[in-house]
Amino acid sequence: MPSKQRDSRHHSDAPGGPVDRIAELIAPLRVRPGTKVRLPRDFDPGHTGDLVNKRAGAELLQRGVAMLADYQARLAAEHRRGLLVVLQALDAAGKDSTIRHVMSGVNPQGVRVHSFKVPSAEELDHDYLWRYAWRLPARGEIAIFNRSHYEEVLVVRVHPALLDNEKLPPSVRTRDIWGHRFRAINEFERHLSETGFRIVKLFLNVSKDEQRKRLLQRIDRPEKNWKFSAADLQERQFWDDYQQAYSDMLSNTSTEWAPWYVIPADHKWFARIAAAATIVHALMELDPQFPSPDPQARRELAQFRRALEEE
Ligand code: ATP
Ligand code: MG
C-alpha cells in the first residue's frame, strides 16, 4: 500500500493540465522579490491573460473552486500547516465578491474570514501587529484577512494623523518608521512561514476609471445603495498617494517566503480566476495529505471492523 494516498481526480500533472495552466496564469502576477514596483505603470488592471471573456474562464474558475475544496479538506485532516490569505485593495475593487466566489465550494468550518476596520481603543493600546496576530489561522485552517496588517503601511501612511492615535513613544516615531514596519512585517511573516503557515498575499488592482464606474453603480442601483459610502469618495481624493504607498509596499514586502501577487481587478471574472489560481497554487505546493494510519492503528481498525460485522 502506498504511504501517500493521492487523489488524482483534480490535479493531474500532465503537461498542459490544470497544474501547468495555473502556474502559467499566475506567473506574470507575482512581484519578484527585490524589484521596484511603480503603479500604475507596472501592472495593468485590465489584464486577462490569454482568456478572452468570462465564458472562456468559467470552466477554469469552476475547476479552481473544486480544487480549493479538495485541498482544504486535506489541510484540515493533515492538521500540520495553515494558510493565511491576505487581501488588500482600494475601495470597490471587489474584495467581498472575490471572497464569496473563490470560497464558494469550501467547507465553512475550515475557513475564517476576518475584516479589519479602524482599530478599537483596546487594539490601539497594543503594538500594531497585535490584533492581526490574534486572528491568524490555526493548523489545519485557512484564514482570510479582508484588509490586514498592511493597512499599517497604507492607510496609516497616507493619513499620518492616524499615527497619532497609535500612541507611539516619540523615540519610535522617526523618519524610518515605514522602513521599520516593512522589516517587522517581513520578519513576522518569515516567522509564520518557518512554523508551518503559508501566506498568500493578493492585491486587487483596480484602475481609477473602473473605481469611478463602480462607485457610480452604487449610487444608481438601489440594490447597491447600501454599499455606497461617502468615505470612499473621500479616499478617492488620495488616489495618487495610495498608488505610491502600494508601490512602496509591493517593492519592500514581496519576499521569497511571502510574495505579493497583483491581481488585475478591472474584470471581476478574471480577478476571481486569478485569486483562486493563486490560492490553489500555494496549496498545491503545500500538498497536504490525509494522514494514513500506522500499522498499529490499522490493526485496530481491522478489529473494529470484525466487531461490527459480527453484530
Ligand atoms: P466595505 O467593502 O464593506 O466597504 P471595507 O474594508 O472598506 O469594506 P469599511 O468599514 O468601509 O470596510 O472600512 C474600513 C476602514 O478601516 C478602511 O477605510 C480602512 O482603511 C480602515 N482601516 C483598516 N485598518 C486600519 C488601521 N490599522 N488604521 C486605520 N484605519 C484602518
Ligand atoms: Mg469601505
Side-chain angles (χ1 to χ4, degrees):
M1 197 183 205
S3 63
K4 280 188 169 183
Q5 302 167 328
R6 291 206 64 166
D7 173 357
S8 57
R9 256 181 319 152
H10 300 308
H11 26 116
S12 63
D13 294 352
V19 173
D20 275 0
R21 192 84 182 79
I22 284 170
E24 215 171 89
L25 188 105
I26 67 170
L29 314 181
R30 183 171 186 266
V31 177
R32 236 175 336 113
T35 50
K36 192 158 169 52
V37 176
R38 234 178 67 198
L39 295 173
R41 186 195 64 182
D42 292 341
F43 290 93
D44 173 14
H47 172 92
T48 57
D50 60 358
L51 294 166
V52 284
N53 57 27
K54 186 172 178 170
R55 203 145 46 93
E59 198 204 321
L60 198 59
L61 179 61
Q62 209 180 10
R63 194 172 223 141
V65 168
M67 286 172 82
L68 253 169
D70 178 40
Y71 277 117
Q72 187 273 322
R74 292 157 177 272
L75 190 75
E78 184 196 72
H79 211 89
R80 288 278 179 274
R81 275 88 55 85
L83 180 73
L84 171 63
V85 179
V86 167
L87 256 187
Q88 282 294 153
L90 290 175
D91 295 300
K95 285 185 281 118
D96 291 325
S97 74
T98 302
I99 295 172
R100 201 168 60 240
H101 282 83
V102 169
M103 291 296 155
S104 56
V106 165
N107 177 355
Q109 294 209 69
V111 184
R112 279 192 292 154
V113 183
H114 193 77
S115 303
F116 291 96
K117 310 285 183 183
V118 177
S120 69
E122 187 191 21
E123 288 168 345
L124 288 169
D125 272 350
H126 292 264
D127 75 275
Y128 65 88
L129 290 178
W130 181 77
R131 68 169 181 160
Y132 307 98
W134 235 77
R135 309 288 179 174
L136 289 171
R139 300 190 191 282
E141 279 183 355
I142 298 176
I144 301 176
F145 281 4
N146 181 358
R147 300 187 188 270
S148 67
H149 44 297
Y150 284 99
E151 291 292 325
E152 306 291 340
V153 293
L154 294 167
V155 68
V156 181
R157 190 171 190 185
V158 170
H159 301 288
L162 291 171
L163 262 186
D164 298 337
N165 303 338
E166 295 192 3
K167 300 175 196 160
L168 301 170
S171 60
V172 174
R173 197 172 161 171
T174 64
R175 278 182 46 220
D176 300 333
I177 188 163
W178 309 115
H180 289 166
R181 288 194 171 192
F182 291 145
R183 191 196 60 206
I185 287 172
N186 288 341
E187 287 304 318
F188 173 63
E189 293 178 352
R190 195 215 289 264
H191 164 72
L192 290 173
S193 84
E194 285 176 352
T195 45
F197 296 94
R198 181 64 183 254
I199 305 163
V200 175
K201 302 191 295 203
L202 308 178
F203 164 45
L204 299 190
N205 184 27
V206 76
S207 68
K208 194 171 184 188
D209 198 42
E210 180 62 23
Q211 189 197 50
R212 179 172 163 275
K213 283 187 198 147
R214 291 186 192 171
L215 292 176
L216 279 171
Q217 279 182 359
R218 291 181 179 185
I219 294 170
D220 293 342
R221 295 200 193 158
E223 79 281 9
K224 290 199 173 179
N225 284 167
W226 65 274
K227 276 195 189 176
F228 182 79
S229 135
D232 294 354
L233 277 192
Q234 186 71 30
E235 286 312 280
R236 184 172 161 81
Q237 310 281 317
F238 295 91
W239 183 271
D240 292 339
D241 295 340
Y242 272 110
Q243 294 293 302
Q244 206 162 3
Y246 267 102
S247 300
D248 215 29
M249 174 199 82
L250 294 169
S251 307
N252 283 281
T253 60
S254 201
T255 54
E256 293 296 345
W257 55 90
W260 274 104
Y261 288 85
V262 179
I263 306 294
D266 275 6
H267 301 286
K268 284 193 165 189
W269 62 266
F270 185 76
R272 287 165 197 159
I273 293 172
T278 315
I279 301 168
V280 166
H281 189 256
L283 285 164
M284 251 157 43
E285 286 186 344
L286 286 183
D287 197 23
Q289 302 292 328
F290 290 112
S292 42
D294 59 30
Q296 171 65 18
R298 239 198 298 275
R299 275 194 296 277
E300 285 171 10
L301 284 176
Q303 278 171 12
F304 290 134
R305 155 171 274 283
R306 272 195 301 279
L308 284 169
E309 277 171 352
E310 283 161 13
E311 262 181 20

Short mmCIF file of all heavy atoms in Angstrom, two decimals, residues 91 95-96 116-119 131-132 146-147 151-152 155-156 162, ligand 1:
data_model
loop_
_atom_site.label_atom_id
_atom_site.label_comp_id
_atom_site.label_asym_id
_atom_site.label_seq_id
_atom_site.Cartn_x
_atom_site.Cartn_y
_atom_site.Cartn_z
N ASP A 91 -11.00 50.82 -2.33
CA ASP A 91 -12.44 50.60 -2.26
C ASP A 91 -13.01 50.20 -3.62
O ASP A 91 -12.53 50.67 -4.66
CB ASP A 91 -13.14 51.87 -1.76
CG ASP A 91 -12.74 52.20 -0.33
OD1 ASP A 91 -12.98 51.36 0.55
OD2 ASP A 91 -12.15 53.27 -0.10
N LYS A 95 -13.17 43.06 -3.14
CA LYS A 95 -12.67 42.10 -2.14
C LYS A 95 -13.77 41.14 -1.70
O LYS A 95 -13.58 39.93 -1.65
CB LYS A 95 -12.16 42.84 -0.89
CG LYS A 95 -10.81 43.50 -1.10
CD LYS A 95 -10.32 44.11 0.22
CE LYS A 95 -10.98 45.41 0.52
NZ LYS A 95 -11.78 45.61 1.64
N ASP A 96 -14.92 41.72 -1.38
CA ASP A 96 -16.00 40.88 -0.84
C ASP A 96 -16.47 39.84 -1.84
O ASP A 96 -16.64 38.67 -1.51
CB ASP A 96 -17.18 41.75 -0.40
CG ASP A 96 -16.84 42.59 0.82
OD1 ASP A 96 -16.09 42.09 1.67
OD2 ASP A 96 -17.31 43.74 0.89
N PHE A 116 -10.78 43.66 8.82
CA PHE A 116 -10.18 44.63 9.74
C PHE A 116 -10.65 46.04 9.42
O PHE A 116 -10.54 46.50 8.29
CB PHE A 116 -8.65 44.55 9.68
CG PHE A 116 -8.12 43.28 10.25
CD1 PHE A 116 -7.82 42.21 9.42
CD2 PHE A 116 -7.96 43.14 11.62
CE1 PHE A 116 -7.35 41.02 9.95
CE2 PHE A 116 -7.49 41.95 12.16
CZ PHE A 116 -7.18 40.88 11.32
N LYS A 117 -11.17 46.70 10.43
CA LYS A 117 -11.69 48.06 10.31
C LYS A 117 -10.75 48.99 11.05
O LYS A 117 -9.68 48.60 11.50
CB LYS A 117 -13.10 48.12 10.90
CG LYS A 117 -14.04 47.04 10.40
CD LYS A 117 -14.50 47.31 8.99
CE LYS A 117 -15.49 46.26 8.53
NZ LYS A 117 -15.91 46.41 7.17
N VAL A 118 -11.19 50.23 11.25
CA VAL A 118 -10.42 51.17 12.06
C VAL A 118 -10.19 50.52 13.44
O VAL A 118 -11.12 49.98 14.03
CB VAL A 118 -11.21 52.49 12.21
CG1 VAL A 118 -10.47 53.46 13.10
CG2 VAL A 118 -11.45 53.11 10.83
N PRO A 119 -8.96 50.53 13.93
CA PRO A 119 -8.68 49.83 15.19
C PRO A 119 -9.44 50.42 16.38
O PRO A 119 -9.68 51.62 16.44
CB PRO A 119 -7.16 50.00 15.38
CG PRO A 119 -6.66 50.82 14.25
CD PRO A 119 -7.76 51.09 13.30
N ARG A 131 -3.35 42.91 16.90
CA ARG A 131 -4.71 42.48 16.52
C ARG A 131 -4.70 41.50 15.35
O ARG A 131 -5.62 40.72 15.17
CB ARG A 131 -5.60 43.68 16.23
CG ARG A 131 -5.25 44.47 14.98
CD ARG A 131 -6.38 45.43 14.71
NE ARG A 131 -6.17 46.24 13.51
CZ ARG A 131 -7.17 46.84 12.87
NH1 ARG A 131 -8.42 46.70 13.28
NH2 ARG A 131 -6.93 47.57 11.82
N TYR A 132 -3.63 41.55 14.54
CA TYR A 132 -3.55 40.62 13.40
C TYR A 132 -3.09 39.25 13.88
O TYR A 132 -3.60 38.22 13.45
CB TYR A 132 -2.64 41.19 12.31
CG TYR A 132 -3.04 42.59 11.92
CD1 TYR A 132 -2.40 43.70 12.46
CD2 TYR A 132 -4.14 42.80 11.08
CE1 TYR A 132 -2.81 45.00 12.15
CE2 TYR A 132 -4.56 44.09 10.77
CZ TYR A 132 -3.89 45.19 11.30
OH TYR A 132 -4.32 46.46 11.01
N ASN A 146 -9.46 40.19 5.28
CA ASN A 146 -10.06 41.20 4.41
C ASN A 146 -9.58 42.56 4.94
O ASN A 146 -10.12 43.06 5.90
CB ASN A 146 -11.58 41.05 4.50
CG ASN A 146 -12.31 42.04 3.61
OD1 ASN A 146 -11.69 42.88 2.95
ND2 ASN A 146 -13.62 41.97 3.61
N ARG A 147 -8.55 43.10 4.31
CA ARG A 147 -7.65 44.10 4.87
C ARG A 147 -6.81 43.39 5.94
O ARG A 147 -7.21 42.34 6.44
CB ARG A 147 -8.35 45.33 5.45
CG ARG A 147 -9.18 46.10 4.42
CD ARG A 147 -9.70 47.39 5.00
NE ARG A 147 -10.65 48.05 4.12
CZ ARG A 147 -10.30 48.93 3.19
NH1 ARG A 147 -9.03 49.25 3.03
NH2 ARG A 147 -11.21 49.50 2.43
N GLU A 151 -2.54 47.48 6.22
CA GLU A 151 -3.14 48.80 6.41
C GLU A 151 -2.21 49.72 7.19
O GLU A 151 -2.26 50.94 7.07
CB GLU A 151 -4.49 48.69 7.13
CG GLU A 151 -5.60 48.04 6.32
CD GLU A 151 -6.06 48.89 5.13
OE1 GLU A 151 -6.09 50.13 5.24
OE2 GLU A 151 -6.39 48.29 4.09
N GLU A 152 -1.34 49.10 7.98
CA GLU A 152 -0.42 49.87 8.82
C GLU A 152 0.65 50.60 8.02
O GLU A 152 1.33 51.48 8.55
CB GLU A 152 0.23 48.94 9.86
CG GLU A 152 -0.77 48.14 10.70
CD GLU A 152 -1.57 49.01 11.65
OE1 GLU A 152 -1.12 50.14 11.95
OE2 GLU A 152 -2.65 48.57 12.09
N VAL A 155 -3.09 52.89 4.71
CA VAL A 155 -3.96 54.00 5.15
C VAL A 155 -3.23 54.88 6.19
O VAL A 155 -3.35 56.10 6.17
CB VAL A 155 -5.32 53.47 5.68
CG1 VAL A 155 -5.17 52.70 6.97
CG2 VAL A 155 -6.31 54.61 5.87
N VAL A 156 -2.47 54.23 7.05
CA VAL A 156 -1.77 55.00 8.10
C VAL A 156 -0.68 55.88 7.50
O VAL A 156 -0.39 56.96 7.98
CB VAL A 156 -1.19 54.04 9.18
CG1 VAL A 156 -0.49 54.83 10.27
CG2 VAL A 156 -2.28 53.17 9.77
N LEU A 162 -3.34 59.34 11.58
CA LEU A 162 -3.72 58.08 12.24
C LEU A 162 -2.62 57.58 13.17
O LEU A 162 -2.89 56.85 14.14
CB LEU A 162 -4.05 57.01 11.19
CG LEU A 162 -5.33 57.23 10.37
CD1 LEU A 162 -5.42 56.22 9.24
CD2 LEU A 162 -6.56 57.13 11.26
P1 ATP B 1 -16.59 47.51 2.53
O1 ATP B 1 -16.43 46.78 1.23
O2 ATP B 1 -17.68 46.94 3.36
O3 ATP B 1 -16.61 48.99 2.38
P2 ATP B 1 -14.12 47.95 3.88
O4 ATP B 1 -12.99 47.02 4.11
O5 ATP B 1 -13.86 49.13 3.01
O6 ATP B 1 -15.28 47.07 3.31
P3 ATP B 1 -15.09 49.81 5.78
O7 ATP B 1 -15.78 49.65 7.08
O8 ATP B 1 -15.72 50.58 4.70
O9 ATP B 1 -14.69 48.37 5.27
O10 ATP B 1 -13.67 50.48 6.01
C1 ATP B 1 -12.77 50.05 6.91
C2 ATP B 1 -11.81 51.19 7.07
O11 ATP B 1 -10.89 50.90 8.11
C3 ATP B 1 -10.99 51.42 5.82
O12 ATP B 1 -11.08 52.76 5.41
C4 ATP B 1 -9.57 51.12 6.26
O13 ATP B 1 -8.61 51.89 5.61
C5 ATP B 1 -9.65 51.39 7.74
N1 ATP B 1 -8.59 50.72 8.48
C6 ATP B 1 -8.28 49.42 8.44
N2 ATP B 1 -7.19 49.16 9.18
C7 ATP B 1 -6.81 50.35 9.70
C8 ATP B 1 -5.77 50.75 10.56
N3 ATP B 1 -4.89 49.89 11.04
N4 ATP B 1 -5.67 52.05 10.91
C9 ATP B 1 -6.56 52.93 10.44
N5 ATP B 1 -7.57 52.62 9.62
C10 ATP B 1 -7.71 51.35 9.27
#
